[in-house]
Amino acid sequence: MHLAQFAQAESWFGLFDEEEMEKLLLAGKIARAVRQAVPRMVFQGASVLGICEWVESEIARMGGSPAFPCNVSINEVGAHYTSPTSDTTVVPDGALVKVDLGVHIDGFIADTAVTVSVGSEFEDMIKAAELALERGVQAVRVGGKIGDVGPLVEKTIRSMGYKPIRNLTGHQIEQYTIHSGLSIPNVSGSEPTGKFQPWSVYAIEPFATLPRAIGEVKEGAPGNILHLVKLKRPKTEPQKGAYEEIYRRFRTLPFAKRWVAGIGEAVSKLLAEKVLYEYPVLVEASGMPIAQAEHTVVTTDKESIVTT
Ligand code: MN
Ligand code: MN
């Protein structure tokens, strides 16, 4: 059963069956356990590739699959960096490190993130993102306005002396789809009109930066994260075989270039033919450091459950 049917339904005849709810909860439980273990893996000089591989192998060891590559985004990079094969990047002195991880069980997804400060300079900024997350999550109630989240998140971050990133948002999640159509803003000013629906999955993810920053991200260099955008099997090899392998392993979920290193040449061709898309990293426009916090919330007809 596909969650999109419910997200788009006019009347709420549908619900997650017991098995689907268990998959959502298990994905959340694994994501939470891995996230909680992340801080001891992040220290000055730690290998970024080592962090990515550790997170992804922990997810697998606990019985899940990564819903996307482990993102390790440092300082002014807000999102969408994962290590390429043989990445020699290490965590620099004093860095602000965001580790964003996703888990899925048969496409039922949990998405969560934590920020680790190497040094103590940014502890308060991390707290601002975390408090904004806590308040944002409380606003996810069936029938509540989606537009209430942005002003709440912005007010919380500003009250602690920081600035929200205005063009990074939370989002709705559907089966095998990490960002479905609906965005959940982190600032006031462009509130969506809809309400939170029962039997849905939402990710809330505030980002905080310094008050003197511009407070928005722009696209930077390619971040080694790909996904299938053209759902049409190519007619010629080696693209045809590579497409089949990618669809079988990831459907339309994001995946790392290093996960498909064995078919690298075909992957390059699929990228050139725009069958695959490579996400650029998202960088704070004035080069200021960013902190992030994220949870996934599942709604039923009665309650909201933070799965992560
Ligand atoms: Mn995330
Ligand atoms: Mn997310």
Side-chain angles (χ1 to χ4, degrees), residues 118-247:
V118 178
S120 55
E121 202 188 336
F122 300 114
E123 287 299 336
D124 277 357
M125 198 160 87
I126 296 172
K127 284 204 186 89
E130 285 175 351
L131 187 60
L133 173 62
E134 197 179 306
R135 293 191 180 155
V137 159
Q138 283 166 9
V140 183
R141 292 183 309 265
V142 174
K145 290 182 200 155
I146 293 165
D148 285 349
V149 173
L152 202 57
V153 163
E154 177 165 16
K155 205 175 101 186
T156 305
I157 291 174
R158 286 194 188 274
S159 75
M160 293 180 70
Y162 295 96
K163 187 180 267 186
I165 300 289
R166 61 168 190 78
N167 59 345
L168 286 174
T169 68
H171 50 96
Q172 193 173 355
I173 296 172
E174 291 170 7
Q175 191 182 11
Y176 285 110
T177 303
I178 182 72
H179 281 229
S180 73
L182 173 76
S183 290
I184 306 171
N186 285 319
V187 292
S188 53
S190 55
E191 285 86 344
T193 52
K195 292 182 173 169
F196 289 109
Q197 302 295 328
W199 311 109
S200 301
V201 184
Y202 301 97
I204 302 295
E205 51 179 316
F207 295 78
T209 186
L210 296 175
R212 65 176 186 275
I214 289 177
E216 58 183 59
V217 289
K218 58 181 172 51
E219 294 187 348
N224 312 304
I225 301 172
L226 313 175
H227 85 127
L228 203 51
V229 283
K230 202 195 277 176
L231 286 175
K232 189 163 182 275
R233 188 173 51 192
K235 290 199 167 60
T236 54
E237 296 293 357
Q239 293 96 313
K240 182 169 173 251
Y243 174 97
E244 284 169 349
E245 177 177 339
I246 288 164
Y247 186 77

Side-chain angles (χ1 to χ4, degrees), residues 68-104:
F68 50 83
C70 174
N71 286 215
V72 178
S73 304
I74 296 175
N75 294 338
E76 73 278 12
V77 178
H80 296 170
Y81 181 84
T82 198
S83 284
T85 312
S86 349
D87 192 3
T88 55
T89 310
V90 296
V91 173
D93 186 17
L96 191 61
V97 184
K98 293 154 291 293
V99 177
D100 191 330
L101 60 104
V103 178
H104 82 92

